[in-house]
Amino acid sequence: MKQLSMIRLSPGWLSGAVLQHSTPQQLQGNAAPKQRLHITLQCEHQCYQLNTHADELGVFSVEIAAQPPSGPWTLCISDEASNNIRLDDLWFGLRLICAGQSNIGWPLRHYPAQLADVREQLFASSTLPLVRAYLTDAYDPVQPADYRNAGCWQALTAEQCADWPALLCHFSQSYQPSDTTPLMLGLVDISWPGSAIDAWTEASVPASGAWQPGALFTARLAPWLQQPFA
């Protein structure tokens, strides 16, 4: 993602993202107060152009029209000061949110036999599977993660699959779409190791740690609930 400006987008709007198909969604973010913005969404011979502006606090929101399963798309946002953001390789597909403890996010690298099987399948295939995951550093074995950290979208490749959650990898292999239309699967992993249920529920008092009431709901789940998902 190229980002050379004050324009900032809400979580999940990154290069490689999977957006929920056939449903309108809001492109949200922050820019300079009252800044005018020009937005272009393009895929092959299709091109949509939108104009909007930020409010007095710099917040903007614009509706992206519903699109059928399709991709890759490119999204460009520019302002009057020639600042811009470009997101590449966006897909309209099926997006699922996966939250909970480490039984959701425990990495495939902890299961050597299964990891070897997945790598063998990926190396043998001439094309990448139609699946992406939004991953954070919650299970980084070296550096303890901050529960508020943003993540990135990753394709399931032989080189990257070791860091994929084992459960999400297994789900992507066993998932059967309801029709024959090619569909990109987007799995959003916002799990947190050792978390309790009250951290995933709303709380009126701001939290300062991942295990406090409301902490994971506010930092990891709530931003995704503003967008459509399956």
Side-chain angles (χ1 to χ4, degrees):
M1 178 179 70
K2 184 178 181 182
Q3 185 164 337
L4 302 174
S5 70
M6 292 180 60
I7 303 172
R8 296 183 300 276
L9 301 181
S10 57
W13 287 95
L14 300 162
S15 289
V18 178
L19 310 173
Q20 181 62 34
H21 74 86
S22 305
T23 306
Q25 48 211 296
Q26 297 296 317
L27 173 64
Q28 299 170 321
N30 297 87
K34 299 183 179 181
Q35 180 66 66
R36 294 179 180 271
L37 300 170
H38 179 69
I39 300 164
T40 302
L41 182 66
Q42 189 167 4
C43 177
E44 294 183 339
H45 303 299
Q46 301 179 70
C47 183
Y48 302 95
Q49 297 191 12
L50 303 167
N51 293 299
T52 188
H53 65 276
D55 63 16
E56 293 81 0
L57 299 177
V59 177
F60 69 88
S61 179
V62 62
E63 184 174 281
I64 301 295
Q67 300 295 334
S70 55
W73 291 78
T74 298
L75 175 71
C76 296
I77 308 174
S78 59
D79 62 19
E80 295 169 309
S82 299
N83 295 315
N84 64 81
I85 287 179
R86 178 186 172 107
L87 306 183
D88 294 306
D89 200 26
L90 304 178
W91 290 77
F92 288 91
L94 189 70
R95 184 159 73 183
L96 304 175
I97 294 179
C98 310
Q101 296 183 335
S102 52
N103 56 346
I104 296 289
W106 204 240
L108 188 60
R109 62 174 176 266
H110 290 286
Y111 305 94
Q114 288 80 1
L115 174 59
D117 288 343
V118 172
R119 279 180 167 163
E120 182 179 358
Q121 294 173 28
L122 292 171
F123 277 127
S125 176
S126 59
T127 59
L128 289 177
L130 293 176
V131 58
R132 305 239 173 119
Y134 177 86
L135 306 176
T136 66
D137 55 357
Y139 298 88
D140 191 310
V142 178
Q143 181 65 37
D146 188 326
Y147 70 100
R148 295 160 295 192
N149 286 353
C152 63
W153 286 93
Q154 286 188 12
L156 183 60
T157 66
E159 295 76 20
Q160 297 178 337
C161 64
D163 292 326
W164 266 58
L167 182 61
L168 271 61
C169 184
H170 174 71
F171 177 83
S172 70
Q173 291 181 312
S174 60
Y175 171 74
Q176 297 293 328
S178 58
D179 55 43
T180 58
T181 303
L183 192 67
M184 181 68 78
L185 185 63
L187 304 175
V188 179
D189 175 27
I190 52 173
S191 61
W192 190 258
S195 56
I197 188 63
D198 57 352
W200 293 100
T201 59
E202 292 187 77
S204 58
V205 179
S208 58
W211 290 276
Q212 293 179 333
L216 298 177
F217 176 88
T218 300
R220 297 177 77 80
L221 180 58
W224 293 94
L225 299 182
Q226 300 171 19
Q227 300 294 340
F229 54 92

